[in-house]
Amino acid sequence: MTQTINLGAFLSSAKGFLHMGKEAKEADMQTMSFFLRNPRGGKAKPLDEADMRAFSAFLKENNFAPAVAHAPYTMNPCSPNESTRQFAREMFADDMRRMEYIPGNFYNFHPGSRLQTPLKTAAAQIADMLNAVLTPETKTTVLLETMAGKGSEVGRTFSELGEILAQIKYSEKVGVCLDTCHVWDGGYDIAENLDGVLNEFDREIGLSKLCAVHLNDSLNPLGSHKDRHALIGEGHIGKKALVAFLCHPALSSLPFVLETPTDTAGHAAEIRMLRAAVNEAGKK
């Protein structure tokens, strides 16, 4: 039986959001990820309301799964530096205003690097940023991303993310994006013990909070804490394990976004390969 798997990749919105949506459809994607602003700085273009509304309508008309916007890498809500935390709050608030023009989608962010800040303090600071902006009327679900554990990154373990989530006032507005490369590099063996990993996620966070997946192979062995993505099947996780991940009944309906090191044509080829593999697995 043919399975419907929601696969997409990172695309640029430089030519407009509606153009990006059409590019995704041409590449046979059913979801996508994108930045709302410069990912390495934070500057954003003036909001084009008409383009955003047209993009939202296009997604609905073409039955896309929720898209996954990504926060800039400079957003660090748990920095020891107050001005950096303020910068993060301002970017987050502005991005949430922009996301209101495309309701029903996701906004994913890296929880941040705490440096010398104690973990409990860092978790509270991250939660404070979310609580300051999210309201019962917010139409976007914000996702904390699982991290590989480089340096002082927050979010290497499910329990660290759970500590943040436990402090969110409007908890229904916040979930998790699981990055397969990050959790592998963080020490979770999704190749040989996927059910065990998901059971731990369920205990620490709850599988109902898992809203999206970044589907990446890893250039590094299990537990390396390095975060270097590889093409599907060309890393240490391997194609077989990632196809099993896609097919898992607790995960198969989620949006899966490729962040592998290739271009749109390469992502389209990976999507074709993964769909074929999933359908073949469904016949067994």
Side-chain angles (χ1 to χ4, degrees):
M1 181 176 67
T2 300
Q3 290 181 256
T4 299
I5 302 292
N6 300 311
L7 285 160
F10 244 106
L11 294 170
S12 171
S13 61
K15 295 181 179 179
F17 283 88
L18 180 58
H19 181 275
M20 180 182 66
K22 291 178 178 179
E23 184 181 8
K25 184 179 179 182
E26 289 172 2
D28 204 20
M29 299 179 187
Q30 293 132 333
T31 183
M32 72 202 75
S33 193
F34 52 88
F35 289 108
L36 292 162
R37 60 184 65 237
N38 182 341
R40 302 292 179 184
K43 186 175 180 179
K45 292 182 178 180
L47 177 65
D48 186 336
E49 296 180 15
D51 180 44
M52 293 288 272
R53 291 194 176 100
F55 174 57
S56 180
F58 182 86
L59 295 180
K60 293 175 183 175
E61 290 165 4
N62 289 279
N63 299 311
F64 273 75
V68 187
H70 202 301
Y73 300 121
T74 50
M75 195 171 93
N76 187 5
C78 62
S79 169
N81 187 306
E82 168 58 29
S83 64
T84 301
R85 296 200 302 275
Q86 179 62 31
F87 181 56
R89 290 191 291 270
E90 291 171 357
M91 283 196 295
F92 178 63
D94 187 55
D95 279 355
M96 286 296 97
R97 285 192 290 270
R98 291 167 184 266
M99 290 297 292
E100 289 297 287
Y101 290 93
I102 50 171
N105 293 292
F106 297 137
Y107 179 85
N108 174 73
F109 76 104
H110 294 178
S113 294
R114 59 189 178 88
L115 301 178
Q116 303 303 315
T117 302
L119 178 61
K120 286 189 177 295
T121 302
Q125 289 171 335
I126 296 164
D128 286 347
M129 181 187 77
L130 299 178
N131 288 333
V133 176
L134 301 179
T135 73
E137 290 74 37
T138 300
K139 297 180 179 65
T140 299
T141 301
V142 177
L143 306 182
L144 297 159
E145 184 172 338
T146 59
M147 303 306 295
K150 293 185 301 179
S152 61
E153 284 180 338
V154 178
R156 181 188 69 79
T157 65
F158 300 151
S159 63
E160 288 184 9
L161 294 180
E163 186 165 348
I164 300 166
L165 290 165
Q167 301 178 63
I168 303 301
K169 183 176 182 181
Y170 302 112
S171 61
E172 72 279 8
K173 306 295 183 183
V174 183
V176 172
C177 175
L178 187 152
D179 186 303
T180 54
C181 172
H182 292 180
V183 295
W184 172 266
D185 282 22
Y188 291 101
D189 192 351
I190 57 172
E192 299 295 336
N193 188 30
L194 178 56
D195 283 333
V197 171
L198 293 179
N199 286 338
E200 182 173 346
F201 187 99
D202 199 30
R203 287 194 305 272
E204 297 288 349
I205 297 174
L207 278 171
S208 63
K209 286 292 188 182
L210 182 52
C211 298
V213 172
H214 286 167
L215 193 74
N216 303 298
D217 213 327
S218 174
L219 288 174
N220 299 296
L222 178 68
S224 65
H225 306 300
K226 291 184 178 179
D227 183 16
R228 293 182 65 204
H229 298 188
L231 296 171
I232 302 299
E234 297 186 13
H236 285 266
I237 303 174
K239 176 183 172 182
K240 180 180 178 181
L242 291 169
V243 170
F245 196 96
L246 283 167
C247 293
H248 196 286
L251 308 171
S252 58
S253 64
L254 300 176
F256 293 88
V257 175
L258 294 164
E259 294 182 312
T260 50
T262 185
D263 56 13
T264 299
H267 284 137
E270 283 189 307
I271 287 170
R272 290 192 297 272
M273 177 267 289
L274 286 167
R275 285 211 185 102
V278 166
N279 290 331
E280 185 63 29
K283 297 175 184 176
K284 295 179 181 179

